[in-house]
Amino acid sequence: MKELYLAGGPYYGIQEVFSRVKGVIDARAGFANSIIDNPTKDDVVSGRAQAVECVKVVYNPKKIDIGALLSIFFTVINPYTDGIQGKCEGPHYRTGIYFTSGEDSMQLGYYMSYMANRGNPRQMTEASFVFNEFEGEQRARLPVRTECRRLENFYEAPQEEQFYLRNHPDTYSPIDIRLLEESGVFGEE
């Protein structure tokens, strides 16, 4: 089993998405990269902890790879904003990918390079390759603001916050779970 930590707005939306993805064993909501030990939600929301709402995704790499996880992640978040996901704003809602294994850093680097270069017209030379340049696309996209770095720490959110969206379906989420259900994104084990 492997772990990847994903942040993109309120953790309950990300947790709900990844808890339904085939190959994901567990998805736990919490706070990543806090400057204080055992932060509370108030510590995170107020900025005292300088942490981000995050989800620990435990997955089976024989059933789903890191590229597929990132593809889903970048489908449900807006990577071009800094601390804004839908109506949710604040530094604790910034987007991020956090890893614990050095072997993942190279794959993540390639994926982030792919995301950063999408749509940027560049001359093709032996020294550079253009990824995902669409025919006729004339303008460069906004820069990706999703941070990608090693996880410093992770503190699990309280039990009453786990699977919050599932238990409180009327809660606002920038991720439309019903639309994902209708699209067939979620696989059955």
Side-chain angles (χ1 to χ4, degrees), residues 11-27:
Y11 50 45
Y12 47 78
I14 299 293
Q15 182 181 36
E16 189 62 30
V17 168
F18 284 94
S19 69
R20 296 180 182 206
V21 172
K22 186 176 182 178
V24 171
I25 308 303
D26 193 20

Side-chain angles (χ1 to χ4, degrees), residues 117-122 130-135 137:
N117 288 321
R118 286 179 62 194
N120 290 331
R122 293 187 177 181
V130 177
F131 296 104
N132 206 20
E133 184 175 318
F134 299 102
E135 187 176 327
E137 187 172 48

Side-chain angles (χ1 to χ4, degrees), residues 9 41 45 75 83 100 110 113 125 127 153 166 170 184 187:
K41 184 147 180 139
V45 172
T75 299
T100 56
Y110 285 133
S113 176
T125 67
N153 53 54
R166 192 174 296 172
D170 293 332

Side-chain angles (χ1 to χ4, degrees), residues 74-132:
F74 281 109
T75 299
V76 299
I77 61 130
N78 181 349
Y80 307 109
T81 61
D82 193 16
I84 303 171
Q85 293 295 309
K87 298 177 189 174
C88 302
E89 293 186 40
H92 60 291
Y93 290 140
R94 65 190 180 272
T95 59
I97 302 164
Y98 308 100
F99 59 92
T100 56
S101 168
E103 70 185 41
D104 290 340
S105 66
M106 188 177 299
Q107 285 183 289
L108 291 170
Y110 285 133
Y111 200 93
M112 293 305 289
S113 176
Y114 162 80
M115 287 298 296
N117 288 321
R118 286 179 62 194
N120 290 331
R122 293 187 177 181
Q123 277 198 316
M124 187 58 113
T125 67
E126 289 182 354
S128 69
F129 294 97
V130 177
F131 296 104
N132 206 20

Side-chain angles (χ1 to χ4, degrees), residues 34-47:
S34 175
I35 63 167
I36 60 176
D37 291 337
N38 298 309
T40 64
K41 184 147 180 139
D42 287 340
D43 291 332
V44 174
V45 172
S46 71

